[in-house]
Amino acid sequence: MTTAVQKITLSSSRDIPFSKLVLGQSNVRRIKAGVSIQDLAASIARRGLIQSLHVRPVVDTDGQEMGMFEVPAGGRRYRALELLVKQKQLAKTAPVPCVVGSSSSAILAREVSLAENVERAPLHPLDQYRAFKDLLDQGMSEEEIAAAFFISVNVVKQRLKLTTVSPALLDVYAEDGMTIAQLEAFSVSRDHTRQEQVWEAIKNNWSKEPYQIRRMLTENTVRASDKRAVFVGLERYEAAGGEVLRDLFQSDDGGWLQDVPLLERLVKDKLQMMADEIANEGWKWIEVAVSFPYGAADGLRELEGAPVDLSSEEKATLHALRDELRSLQAEYEEADELPDEVDQRFGELESAIKTLEARPVRFDLAEIARAGVFVSIDTDGAILIERGYVRPQDEAPVTPEGDNDPGTDGSDVEATGLVQRAVITIGGPPAGPEEDDEDGIKPLPDRLITELTADRTLALRDKLANDPATAFLAVLHKFVRDAFSGYSAQGVAMEVFVRGTVFPVQSEGLRDTNYARSIKNRHEAWEKRLPTDVADLWDSLSALTGTEQTELFAHCASLGVNALYERADRYGNGAISTHGVQQRLADADHLARAVGLDMIAAGWRPTVGNYLGSVTKARILQAVREGAGERASQLIDHLKKGDMAKEAERLLADSGWLPEPLRLADVDIEAVGSNAGDEDETLPEFLAGGDAGDEDVKQLDAAE
């Protein structure tokens, strides 16, 4: 027997004057969400009431209808209409489209309110993107679209940014094959072919994080924050036809410059132009590079120049700027927060004062004729010009007394007024390490260990210079070892005769580290205080206070630190033996503990340039596993070495991880000394593999 299907009856629809409507108390919406009542009212005024209200007759205690209707579902629309009535935009008796439910229905009014809100499906982002695109194609601007739908312009831009994504990937997203975050990540590039290649490469991986997609799409680009990009400027780069990839969905630090060869050409051209201008000053040579290694000027004599005096106009301007700055500081001294225009003025004044105080330096023309200039880009993207360095081969020959032959000291340049044309040399970036796909955990390359310990040596020097007590003790320790025959004077980290150490190899960027800059600034500050004539040096040092003497002592002592690893000659033919290097590093560990050296606190972080790009994939994974955990290493174990190194740099940035050569080894210097015959067994792991040299050969100390 067939059961008859019960037919349903839909509620009737009718227009009811607004004055006959009252807001029901059974509406489940209590918390404000979505478009505001004011914006909804504006939308109704623009488009009319798109969706009817659901109402029920109000009945008395006997169940008789009273001619009024309550609104259990559609409370926000009711309030928006109410606001329009208050604003005189809608008449109180204006008819409102309503769906009228039965007052005797078994379905509770609260259930109707809940169903209306729960069963509502938000618009799919892809549908929203297509709708916005249609409106844009029909002539509406992004600002007009945002105003019409009461959303921010940035939301409209974000949705329209999806036009840069391949249609094939949009289809994948529409079929729930990827998340909206993944789709947004693809929008950083306009290359549909590359987008599809990236998706094919990762779609079957268990990890398809948006950051991986962004990294793969921008792996051959340059960050807008890179000093080369800052030096050239985005406007000049884009004017030359370069494209900047931008990410509207998260902070992109200015975006990515896609045309790297164009950027490098613009950098070279701008550096060349500045070098040509400097060449007019008469220098003998000009070295030009994006950056120079630490110690590039070692062995060169630096000229002593005289600052150019301020003109009367400049003095008056500087005086006025300082007065205005002091006046503003006094006026806003108690203010918790500065007004924007005042804060901007503070910056302008400080910048103008700094520019006037940074006086150019005048050099002797005869000295200019034999000296040169280094031109590079500073870490903040500004031009860095270092004038006045004389190479040993360019020094004026010693002229016997009475020999007045002109031209031997370069004075002919000044006399004739001729300006020689400088030889400009433009250097390229250092070659990167070759690809190494070996997966085994092998000892670190000797060159890499030397580079790492160069960082440690500079950081240790900087730390020791700020600890006069330890510096004094270190030198006293060396005195005692020299003075008492029961001690060996070899294998120590300090020598009273301070001898600067040249780093034969070093990582890119060593010159720009915090500790390298700290040492340079401290050294230059003392140079300005000390007399130029050695005959006056004793009296000058005697005039220093006790504290100043100890600070200068610590600085000089710190320059003798040598904590470098050096490859030993396995046959003992040179001055370096494995045992000597081992003793030097152990002695340096004692020194590092005494001054509290922490390479992480000093500013060292593992990067592609200083570590990760020079080791095997297995080493990279080991570092990530130790620093960021097993799960983090699994995220990158499928990547190629270059990509793996870049991701490892990001994962290890704030982990506090250090490679073995930068850690404090738990080596007892006395125990090491007593086991000198078993050098390979007592060496740290990263030093294993070298053969001991002749112990009678002079050992290198960890400080010179």
Side-chain angles (χ1 to χ4, degrees):
M1 181 177 177
T2 304
T3 304
V5 178
Q6 185 177 2
K7 299 294 191 294
I8 63 173
T9 302
L10 299 177
S11 299
S12 61
S13 176
R14 55 186 277 203
D15 290 342
I16 301 174
F18 179 77
S19 58
K20 297 293 184 181
L21 302 178
V22 293
L23 188 61
Q25 300 303 309
S26 53
N27 195 301
V28 299
R29 188 186 291 274
R30 294 287 185 268
I31 300 173
K32 295 180 181 180
V35 177
S36 69
I37 298 299
Q38 291 79 6
D39 288 344
L40 183 55
S43 176
I44 294 173
R46 175 186 174 91
R47 306 179 184 91
L49 188 62
I50 299 174
Q51 185 178 358
S52 301
L53 301 180
H54 181 89
V55 301
R56 286 189 175 189
V58 179
V59 297
D60 58 18
T61 55
D62 296 329
Q64 298 298 316
E65 294 185 5
M66 301 174 62
M68 299 293 290
F69 298 84
E70 69 168 348
V71 183
R76 296 179 71 252
R77 277 164 281 153
Y78 174 84
R79 291 190 181 91
L81 292 170
E82 184 180 44
L83 179 60
L84 290 172
V85 170
K86 290 180 179 179
Q87 294 173 346
K88 307 298 184 181
Q89 296 187 67
L90 183 70
K92 290 183 179 180
T93 57
V96 178
C98 298
V99 176
V100 184
S102 172
S103 60
S104 60
S105 172
I107 304 300
L108 297 175
R110 186 173 297 276
E111 181 181 340
V112 174
S113 175
L114 181 62
E116 186 201 41
N117 288 282
V118 171
E119 295 171 1
R120 181 185 304 164
L123 189 65
H124 194 280
L126 203 53
D127 290 331
Q128 193 179 41
Y129 141 68
R130 287 166 176 158
F132 286 169
K133 186 175 184 300
D134 288 342
L135 293 175
L136 193 70
D137 293 341
Q138 292 171 17
M140 291 184 69
S141 67
E142 294 174 346
E143 290 74 16
E144 289 172 336
I145 296 173
F149 293 95
F150 310 103
I151 55 179
S152 69
V153 176
N154 191 51
V155 170
V156 177
K157 290 181 181 292
Q158 287 178 339
R159 290 292 177 259
L160 292 174
K161 180 69 172 175
L162 297 179
T163 58
T164 61
V165 180
S166 164
L169 298 184
L170 292 176
D171 292 340
V172 173
Y173 171 63
E175 297 170 2
D176 296 328
M178 70 172 70
T179 66
I180 183 63
Q182 291 168 332
L183 185 70
E184 291 168 350
F186 280 106
S187 71
V188 302
S189 172
R190 296 181 179 274
D191 188 342
H192 290 179
T193 302
R194 180 56 181 157
Q195 291 174 0
E196 293 167 10
Q197 290 173 346
V198 169
W199 179 246
E200 285 297 319
I202 69 169
K203 68 179 183 180
N204 295 322
N205 294 346
W206 68 273
S207 174
K208 299 184 282 288
E209 299 296 332
Y211 78 83
Q212 290 178 291
I213 297 171
R214 288 184 172 89
R215 176 190 51 75
M216 294 176 72
L217 290 172
T218 59
E219 61 186 350
N220 295 320
T221 63
V222 172
R223 280 277 189 184
S225 57
D226 185 278
K227 69 178 184 178
R228 293 169 294 171
V230 176
F231 175 67
V232 170
L234 290 184
E235 291 184 3
R236 184 176 180 185
Y237 167 79
E238 291 179 308
E243 182 180 357
V244 179
L245 306 180
R246 302 186 189 277
D247 192 345
L248 295 181
F249 298 95
Q250 62 175 227
S251 175
D252 62 4
D253 202 17
W256 299 266
L257 280 66
Q258 188 173 22
D259 195 338
V260 179
L262 172 62
L263 173 64
E264 292 177 343
R265 178 172 62 80
L266 292 175
V267 169
K268 181 179 178 181
D269 290 348
K270 188 172 180 180
L271 285 172
Q272 177 71 61
M273 179 182 67
M274 293 185 169
D276 289 339
E277 293 177 0
I278 297 170
N280 294 328
E281 299 173 11
W283 301 98
K284 183 172 185 178
W285 53 266
I286 299 175
E287 289 280 355
V288 181
V290 173
S291 60
F292 290 101
Y294 180 84
D298 286 353
L300 307 185
R301 176 171 64 88
E302 186 174 1
L303 298 182
E304 294 289 340
V308 177
D309 294 333
L310 289 167
S311 66
S312 56
E313 291 183 358
E314 288 174 328
K315 290 179 180 178
T317 301
L318 181 59
H319 183 72
L321 291 172
R322 287 172 174 169
D323 285 347
E324 184 180 352
L325 181 61
R326 282 192 291 267
S327 177
L328 282 177
Q329 288 172 337
E331 182 178 353
Y332 291 94
E333 184 177 5
E334 303 297 331
D336 294 330
E337 187 174 353
L338 295 176
D340 291 341
E341 62 277 7
V342 175
D343 187 49
Q344 180 180 351
R345 185 55 182 163
F346 265 113
E348 293 171 352
L349 290 172
E350 290 169 352
S351 178
I353 292 172
K354 184 178 180 181
T355 301
L356 283 172
E357 290 179 339
R359 305 304 300 156
V361 178
R362 181 189 298 112
F363 297 98
D364 182 79
L365 288 178
E367 291 279 39
I368 288 178
R370 65 172 65 93
V373 183
F374 292 103
V375 180
S376 60
I377 304 175
D378 212 345
T379 52
D380 61 356
I383 187 70
L384 179 61
I385 303 173
E386 299 170 286
R387 292 179 171 87
Y389 290 90
V390 182
R391 295 167 174 163
Q393 64 268 29
D394 295 331
E395 293 286 5
V398 178
T399 304
E401 292 185 11
D403 187 353
N404 295 321
D405 182 27
T408 58
D409 61 352
S411 60
D412 57 325
V413 175
E414 184 174 6
T416 61
L418 298 176
V419 177
Q420 66 177 351
R421 190 64 183 174
V423 177
I424 301 176
T425 305
I426 300 181
E434 296 182 358
E435 182 75 11
D436 183 0
D437 290 328
E438 297 181 11
D439 293 329
I441 301 287
K442 295 185 177 181
L444 294 176
D446 292 327
R447 177 187 177 91
L448 176 59
I449 299 175
T450 305
E451 289 178 355
L452 293 172
T453 51
D455 269 272
R456 189 183 190 222
T457 298
L458 277 186
L460 187 52
R461 287 180 181 178
D462 186 36
K463 199 73 176 176
L464 186 65
N466 289 287
D467 192 342
T470 303
F472 184 86
L473 184 60
V475 175
L476 179 60
H477 172 257
K478 179 62 168 63
F479 277 161
V480 172
R481 294 183 67 162
D482 288 340
F484 295 85
S485 59
Y487 303 112
S488 170
Q490 298 182 356
V492 295
M494 292 296 302
E495 286 188 5
V496 175
F497 179 74
V498 178
R499 181 176 58 201
T501 304
V502 176
F503 305 136
V505 295
Q506 58 185 261
S507 62
E508 182 181 354
L510 179 62
R511 168 181 173 142
D512 296 324
T513 57
N514 296 337
Y515 28 89
R517 286 180 175 272
S518 176
I519 293 172
K520 180 176 181 291
N521 293 339
R522 186 186 308 110
H523 197 77
E524 290 177 349
W526 275 114
E527 276 186 328
K528 292 177 180 178
R529 294 189 60 182
L530 295 175
T532 55
D533 192 338
V534 68
D536 301 327
L537 181 59
W538 180 267
D539 292 339
S540 177
L541 294 178
S542 300
L544 296 176
T545 66
T547 300
E548 290 172 331
Q549 288 177 347
T550 55
E551 289 175 352
L552 179 56
F553 174 86
H555 172 67
C556 294
S558 72
L559 299 180
V561 172
N562 182 359
L564 278 178
Y565 163 81
E566 296 182 58
R567 185 184 180 92
D569 188 312
R570 66 173 60 219
Y571 303 108
N573 295 326
I576 311 173
S577 72
T578 302
H579 180 59
V581 173
Q582 174 195 5
Q583 283 190 312
R584 173 198 289 173
L585 296 179
D587 195 60
D589 276 341
H590 284 300
L591 197 57
R593 288 191 185 94
V595 297
L597 175 64
D598 181 343
M599 288 301 296
I600 294 298
W604 193 91
R605 298 291 185 274
T607 65
V608 174
N610 66 17
Y611 180 80
L612 299 167
S614 303
V615 297
T616 63
K617 293 174 67 174
R619 280 275 184 186
I620 297 174
L621 291 174
Q622 181 188 46
V624 173
R625 194 176 299 114
E626 293 175 355
E630 180 65 34
R631 176 171 173 77
S633 68
Q634 293 174 357
L635 287 174
I636 64 172
D637 59 5
H638 63 286
L639 300 177
K640 292 183 178 180
K641 181 182 172 183
D643 295 335
M644 181 184 291
K646 291 179 182 178
E647 281 309 308
E649 177 178 328
R650 184 185 65 84
L651 292 169
L652 293 173
D654 299 316
S655 67
W657 181 86
L658 291 172
E660 299 98 319
L662 299 186
R663 303 172 188 171
L664 280 176
D666 295 322
V667 179
D668 189 319
I669 190 65
E670 295 180 2
V672 170
S674 63
N675 296 321
D678 301 324
E679 293 165 5
D680 287 341
E681 295 181 4
T682 58
L683 279 174
E685 179 183 351
F686 67 90
L687 293 179
D691 295 329
D694 186 354
E695 293 185 17
D696 293 333
V697 179
K698 178 185 177 183
Q699 310 296 327
L700 286 190
D701 300 330
E704 299 177 354

